[in-house]
């Protein structure tokens, strides 16, 4: 009898112990393109960034158990949603981060709301994530199509590039980027003379470039990303687009793309990003730690964004003591000001848009660069309150509900 | 008529020429596949990976100061030798078995090779510049044609015709074709059939590597450059008729043209049009346009 009681007591202790541990457990899922055209800019590097954020949070010392897992959505919305569903339902994942590819991101955002978990998107670009598809469970962290369009589009139109032809990746992201940039161009007195929509992952752009050339537009806007952008830029040089007087506007360019192109091809490109590893001591220290785990690479803005987002999530988790209610965690995150070494101080708007300054960069000439990864010249800073779409223009239902 | 199509004749000619250039790549790759299938009865799914290795080989050589022109010869030889090793150590074990085994083996090889390259070089690729001699371009009046593209089309045409000649018109080619039909009999005449099979596979692989070197200055040198391409190339081979040398050359160029036109009139469909044609051809002529009915 005594034994039974002792056993029961032990079991009870164990049970309560598990219950306690469950309370203080967080599982982070990095749902990303791990093997395709966005893998270098996002993918495994984002997993590293998330792990660094966990290390820096100090939550492990406070008794939290935090785990980071990774999945490959292969740029397919159905695969992405299946992994997310499996993670939420079976593997007890509390939040999903990164998720490049706007098509996948929109699907995962919807699912996250349904399951009342948290989705911190750093990789996808579509401004719809904080616009008409906004959700109380989603925060769009690093950049969006509006910020890119607003930064690059405005700068180029002001410099005389007032007629545009778009090369657009034919899915949610490309359409959003083309739409937002077109709006900025027109608002600043320019016009859009034509566009062509190419399938994602095209090996050859010569046909589209020829159409762009024939359009006589002053600017050829590349509303695509990753390997599609690098191939467009490389082949534009080959076909004498820039030599013929047309200007190339890479609307979304990651530092890994510049590295892949080489400075002799990429030099002079103007583009918008929210982060550059060589901005200040904080970003350089982060880049060093990152490179130790991913030799030969520096972090992109997406990977930096994953770090920043996870840091802020963990602060909210610490303040709340539990992450079981996703919407509550996101509400707490919106309430608290953001602050980290990579993006500085910032905030999160009611529509789920994270605010911080974004920067206009130009790719250095080979003679200006001191070596690998020394690629960007800062041309201008767009303050946080002007960088992103005004909240009342986004048609986010959360905002109108708050009114 | 051109007004009806909503495109100027100049633009149309330009697009046709570009289509032909892309067709050159299809032709070169499907040619290698056709040689390997026609002579060895192997569905070589590693072809895309070997094409990628050709491009990477050129890049490696460049790191050691070996430029584009030597690479054009060296890379196919090096990768061809790699193909010989694959054939000698793995594929020859599958001789006489169902096609499916060879297909699965080469598919596995492709996945492993791509995975290894991706692990070391990432997915966004490496820069490879156009050789100095072929920089710049010509203004043809209706379009600006980069010299390098002109070189691609001329060079691949020569390679295609030479390969066709070698296999269909020479004594060596006759042995080869005979060995495919009846290896035992050809062996009885004192021909070393296994060696010939190995070298043929090596040759087919070298063709893929050659296409890879040709593509390096146009495309990014990326681990997945072949994987994106190979599916289309297989469709080309199926449309042309599995194993038909001339069929794969003609179909390669023709489909390049059709794809080029699609990019003008309905760009969204440009990566599906080849498969639509494949489905139609298979319904009407299941052995392919140039295939012999078995």
């Amino acid at each position: 009898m005594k034994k039974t009681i002792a056993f029961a007591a032990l079991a009870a202790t164990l049970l309560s112990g598990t219950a306690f541990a469950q309370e203080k457990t967080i599982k982070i899922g990095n749902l990303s393109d791990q093997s395709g055209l966005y893998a270098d800019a996002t993918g495994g590097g984002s997993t590293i960034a998330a792990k660094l954020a966990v290390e820096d949070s100090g939550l492990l010392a406070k008794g939290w158990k935090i785990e980071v897992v990774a999945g490959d959505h292969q740029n397919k919305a159905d695969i992405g949603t299946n992994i997310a569903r499996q993670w939420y339902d079976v593997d007890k994942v509390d939040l999903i981060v990164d998720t490049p590819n706007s098509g996948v991101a929109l699907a995962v955002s919807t699912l996250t709301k349904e399951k009342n978990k948290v989705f911190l998107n750093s990789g996808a670009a579509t401004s719809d994530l904080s616009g008409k598809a906004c959700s109380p469970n989603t925060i769009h962290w690093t950049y969006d199509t509006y910020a890119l369009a607003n930064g690059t589009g405005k700068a180029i139109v002001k410099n005389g590039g007032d007629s545009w032809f778009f090369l657009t990746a034919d899915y949610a992201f490309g359409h959003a980027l083309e739409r937002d940039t077109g709006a900025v161009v027109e608002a600043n007195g320019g016009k859009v003379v034509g566009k062509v929509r190419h399938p994602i992952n095209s090996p050859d752009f010569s046909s589209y470039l020829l159409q762009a050339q024939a359009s006589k537009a002053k600017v050829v806007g590349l509303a695509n990303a990753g390997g599609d952008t690098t191939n467009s830029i490389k082949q534009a040089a080959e076909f004498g687009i820039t030599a013929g007087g047309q200007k190339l506007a890479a609307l979304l360019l990651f530092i890994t793309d510049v590295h892949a192109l080489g400075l002799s091809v990429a030099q002079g490109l103007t583009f918008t990003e929210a982060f550059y590893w060589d901005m200040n001591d904080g970003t350089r220290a982060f880049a060093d730690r990152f490179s130790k785990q991913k030799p030969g690479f520096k972090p992109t803005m997406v990977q930096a964004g994953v770090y920043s987002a996870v840091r802020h999530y963990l602060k909210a988790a610490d303040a709340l003591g539990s992450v079981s209610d996703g919407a509550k965690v996101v509400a707490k995150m919106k309430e608290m000001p953001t602050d980290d070494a990579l993006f500085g101080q910032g905030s999160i708007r009611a529509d789920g848009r994270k605010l911080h300054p974004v920067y206009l960069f130009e790719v250095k000439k080979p003679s200006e660069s001191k070596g690998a990864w020394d690629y960007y010249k800062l041309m201008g800073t767009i303050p946080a309150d002007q960088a992103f779409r005004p909240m009342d223009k986004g048609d986010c239902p959360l905002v109108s509900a708050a009114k | 008529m051109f007004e009806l199509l909503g495109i100027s004749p100049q633009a149309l000619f330009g697009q046709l020429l570009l289509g032909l250039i892309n067709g050159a790549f299809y032709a070169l790759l499907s040619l290698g596949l056709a040689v390997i299938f026609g002579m060895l009865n192997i569905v070589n799914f590693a072809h895309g990976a070997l094409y990628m290795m050709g491009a990477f080989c050129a890049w490696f050589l460049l790191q050691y100061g070996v430029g584009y022109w030597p690479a054009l010869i060296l890379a196919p030889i090096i990768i061809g030798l790699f193909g010989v090793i694959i054939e000698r150590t793995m594929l020859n074990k599958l001789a006489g078995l169902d096609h499916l085994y060879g297909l699965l083996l080469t598919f596995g090889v492709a996945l492993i090779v791509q995975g290894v390259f991706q692990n070391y070089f990432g997915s966004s690729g490496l820069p490879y510049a156009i050789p100095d001699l072929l920089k710049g371009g010509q203004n043809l009046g209706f379009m600006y044609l980069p010299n390098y593209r002109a070189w691609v089309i001329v060079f691949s045409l020569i390679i295609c015709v030479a390969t066709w000649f070698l296999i269909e018109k020479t004594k060596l080619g006759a042995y080869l074709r005979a060995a495919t039909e009846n290896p035992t009999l050809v062996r009885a005449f004192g021909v070393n059939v296994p060696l010939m099979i190995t070298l043929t596979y090596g040759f087919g692989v070298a063709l893929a590597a050659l296409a890879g070197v040709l593509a390096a200055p146009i495309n990014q040198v990326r681990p997945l450059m072949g994987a994106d391409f190979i599916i289309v190339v297989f469709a080309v081979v199926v449309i042309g008729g599995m194993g038909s040398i001339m069929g794969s050359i003609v179909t390669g160029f023709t489909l390049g043209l059709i794809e080029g036109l699609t990019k003008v009139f309905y760009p969204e469909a440009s990566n599906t049009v080849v498969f639509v044609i494949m489905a139609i051809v298979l319904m009407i002529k299941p052995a392919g346009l140039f295939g012999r009915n078995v």
Side-chain angles (χ1 to χ4, degrees):
Chain A
M1 183 67 196
K2 253 185 194 168
K3 257 188 190 165
T4 325
I5 293 172
F7 183 75
L10 184 70
T13 335
L14 277 177
L15 268 178
S16 66
T18 350
F20 179 73
Q22 253 169 3
E23 236 0 65
K24 292 266 189 185
T25 301
I26 296 173
K27 201 162 179 181
I28 304 167
N30 169 31
L31 181 59
S32 191
D33 177 2
Q34 309 281 7
S35 55
L37 72 172
Y38 305 142
D40 278 354
T42 63
S46 295
T47 313
I48 293 171
K51 285 182 178 161
L52 289 175
V54 173
E55 259 175 47
D56 293 353
S57 69
L59 253 58
L60 297 173
K62 290 186 185 172
W64 288 79
K65 273 182 69 185
I66 307 170
E67 193 187 343
V68 182
V69 294
D72 187 2
H73 65 43
Q74 298 172 37
N75 289 307
K76 296 188 175 84
D78 54 337
I79 295 181
T81 330
N82 278 342
I83 296 175
R85 197 178 290 277
Q86 156 92 14
W87 276 357
Y88 286 151
D89 289 347
V90 183
D91 300 333
K92 305 290 170 228
V93 165
D94 297 292
L95 75 156
I96 288 178
V97 295
D98 200 6
T99 317
N101 189 315
S102 298
V104 184
L106 289 166
V108 171
S109 179
T110 311
L111 180 75
T112 305
K113 186 179 171 190
E114 190 185 301
K115 303 281 178 195
N116 193 24
K117 303 283 185 174
V118 178
F119 182 41
L120 305 178
N121 188 293
S122 181
T126 179
S127 57
D128 288 351
L129 275 174
S130 60
K132 58 177 188 269
C134 70
S135 142
N137 297 69
T138 296
I139 299 176
H140 198 189
W141 204 269
T142 311
Y143 71 105
D144 63 23
T145 48
Y146 181 92
L148 298 173
N150 187 46
T152 314
K154 212 186 232 170
I156 290 179
V157 176
K158 290 229 162 103
N159 280 323
D162 54 5
S163 58
W164 285 59
F165 186 95
F166 285 106
L167 249 68
T168 307
D170 190 21
Y171 73 104
F173 150 70
H175 296 180
L177 190 50
E178 179 199 294
R179 175 197 68 205
D180 288 352
T181 313
V184 169
V185 167
E186 275 159 13
N188 285 281
K191 62 177 187 295
V192 178
V193 296
K195 65 179 181 218
V196 57
R197 288 180 168 169
H198 67 77
I200 182 174
N201 238 339
S202 292
D204 186 72
F205 288 86
S206 51
S207 170
Y208 312 126
L209 289 166
L210 211 64
Q211 296 176 43
Q213 213 163 23
S215 76
K216 305 265 193 294
K218 286 185 189 161
V219 181
V220 181
L222 304 177
N224 49 22
D228 283 340
T229 305
T230 47
N231 271 335
S232 308
I233 294 171
K234 196 168 175 177
Q235 290 167 16
E238 194 193 347
F239 276 83
I241 297 279
T242 35
Q246 284 176 305
K247 194 172 166 59
L248 220 52
L251 294 167
L252 175 54
L253 197 67
F254 297 115
I255 192 158
T256 42
D257 299 329
V258 176
H259 183 70
L261 278 168
L263 288 184
S264 55
V265 178
Q267 59 178 313
L269 284 170
T270 311
F271 59 96
T272 305
E273 276 211 78
F275 171 86
Y276 176 45
W277 70 271
D278 200 8
M279 295 279 279
N280 56 49
D281 289 341
T283 57
R284 279 187 286 271
F286 174 74
D288 283 347
R289 290 169 68 204
F290 180 90
S291 301
K292 279 207 185 84
Q293 297 200 37
K294 198 170 160 67
F297 281 92
K298 293 285 181 200
T300 61
M301 68 166 162
V302 172
Q303 291 153 349
V306 168
Y307 172 89
S308 165
V310 172
R311 277 298 300 272
H312 193 64
Y313 174 90
L314 294 176
K315 278 182 202 163
D318 194 26
L320 288 170
S322 155
V323 293
S324 53
D325 184 342
K328 217 166 127 188
V329 179
V330 169
K332 187 75 191 167
M333 289 174 80
K334 286 178 180 167
E335 204 176 279
M336 299 163 69
T338 65
D339 190 9
D340 58 71
L342 307 188
F343 291 83
Q345 290 175 339
S347 59
I348 302 162
R349 255 177 4 196
D351 59 359
R353 178 67 253 166
K354 156 82 161 56
L355 301 178
H356 46 245
V358 299
Y359 309 98
L360 199 63
F361 291 112
E362 190 183 288
V363 179
K364 287 183 174 178
K365 293 192 187 76
S367 58
E368 295 166 333
S369 165
K370 289 197 280 285
W373 302 99
D374 177 22
Y375 296 150
Y376 291 5
K377 261 190 304 199
L378 182 64
M379 306 302 283
T381 302
I382 306 156
D385 56 333
Q386 292 165 33
F388 296 96
R389 180 176 56 205
M391 195 151 60
D392 53 343
K393 299 266 167 59
D395 295 332
C396 166
L398 289 176
V399 178
S400 33
K403 266 180 204 168
Chain B
M1 175 201 159
F2 288 114
E3 285 69 32
L4 272 181
L5 294 173
I7 179 170
S8 68
Q10 283 91 343
L12 190 65
F13 287 137
Q15 296 295 347
L16 287 176
L17 192 58
L18 285 178
L20 218 52
I21 295 167
N22 282 333
F25 281 106
Y26 290 152
L28 215 50
L29 279 170
S30 59
L31 180 65
L33 277 180
V35 169
I36 292 173
F37 183 80
M39 304 298 135
L40 279 71
N41 274 326
I42 293 169
V43 182
N44 188 28
F45 250 95
H47 218 65
L50 295 161
Y51 159 80
M52 174 272 286
M53 284 178 78
F56 265 95
C57 190
W59 181 83
F60 273 119
L61 290 169
L62 195 67
Q63 306 313 302
Y64 293 101
V66 182
Y68 175 81
W69 300 105
L72 210 50
I73 298 164
L74 284 176
I77 293 176
I78 296 169
I79 306 302
L81 283 176
F82 178 74
V84 165
I85 295 171
I86 294 182
E87 206 280 336
R88 271 288 142 121
T89 56
M90 295 180 245
L91 276 174
N92 67 353
K93 309 273 189 294
L94 304 177
L97 292 177
D98 193 82
H99 288 167
L100 201 59
Y101 291 91
L103 189 154
L104 287 174
L105 177 77
T106 49
F107 190 55
V109 168
L111 290 181
I112 292 168
V113 168
Q114 275 160 7
V116 167
F117 274 77
Q118 198 155 31
N119 191 37
Y120 282 100
F121 300 102
S123 62
S124 32
L126 304 156
Y128 193 92
I130 293 174
D132 288 336
L133 193 64
L134 294 173
K135 282 208 170 108
Q138 308 300 325
N139 197 340
L140 302 181
F142 58 89
M143 74 173 288
Y144 176 90
L145 179 66
N147 290 339
Y148 188 79
R149 302 262 171 166
W151 155 251
V152 164
I153 196 166
V154 172
F155 184 68
S156 39
L157 257 180
I158 294 172
I159 295 288
C160 286
V161 172
T163 307
W164 170 81
F165 188 80
L166 182 75
I167 288 175
E168 302 285 344
K169 299 286 167 201
T170 64
K171 199 166 177 187
L172 179 71
Y175 279 148
L176 207 55
R177 281 176 290 135
T180 322
E181 291 290 323
N182 192 337
T184 327
L185 195 66
V186 177
R187 265 180 127 155
F189 286 111
V191 177
N192 187 344
V193 173
L195 179 70
M196 210 152 76
I197 298 278
T198 306
L199 290 181
T200 310
Y201 187 76
F203 177 71
V205 169
L207 281 177
L210 184 70
V213 181
L214 276 180
I218 297 182
N219 258 297
Q220 281 293 102
V221 179
R222 293 176 299 129
L224 291 181
M225 63 190 286
D228 301 341
F229 220 45
I230 197 65
I231 307 294
V232 181
V233 174
F234 264 105
V236 171
V237 176
V238 170
I239 296 170
M242 290 293 285
S244 160
I245 307 287
M246 195 41 110
S248 65
I249 299 173
V250 174
T251 324
F253 280 100
T254 316
L255 285 178
L257 277 181
I258 295 174
E259 203 187 62
L261 288 178
T262 319
K263 282 179 178 169
V264 183
F265 294 112
Y266 191 54
E268 287 87 344
S270 59
N271 61 350
T272 24
V273 64
V274 171
F275 301 101
V276 174
I277 296 172
M278 182 178 88
I280 296 171
V281 168
L282 284 180
M283 277 193 287
I284 299 168
K285 219 167 171 285
L289 293 177
F290 293 80
R292 302 180 200 102
N293 282 312
V294 186

